[in-house]
Amino acid sequence: MAALRAGWRLIQAAQLIPPYPGHEYDVSFLKHEFFFERIVDARAEPHEAGHR
């Protein structure tokens, strides 16, 4: 929660396509894959953009 409060976005990126019959246990993708993204102003000074 601290990352979200600090301005980071949480994006779920898992595939929505169900596996083919017989391939339910293959490890071709992460079921609960997600990543964080933060958009900062590249024109700002480093201390203004949230760099620590």
Side-chain angles (χ1 to χ4, degrees), residues 2 4-5 18-22 24-26 32 34 36 38-39 41 45-46 48-49:
L4 298 175
R5 289 185 185 115
Y20 292 108
E24 292 87 356
Y25 299 103
D26 289 353
H32 302 289
F34 64 90
F36 286 96
R38 186 169 184 201
I39 298 174
D41 186 353
E45 294 294 321
E48 294 176 6

Side-chain angles (χ1 to χ4, degrees), residues 2-52:
L4 298 175
R5 289 185 185 115
W8 290 84
R9 297 178 184 182
L10 178 63
I11 301 170
Q12 184 176 358
Q15 294 182 357
L16 299 177
I17 303 168
Y20 292 108
H23 294 275
E24 292 87 356
Y25 299 103
D26 289 353
V27 291
S28 62
F29 66 93
L30 299 174
K31 185 174 181 181
H32 302 289
E33 180 180 8
F34 64 90
F35 56 91
F36 286 96
E37 171 187 66
R38 186 169 184 201
I39 298 174
V40 295
D41 186 353
R43 297 168 295 180
E45 294 294 321
H47 65 279
E48 294 176 6
H51 298 284
R52 298 177 192 247

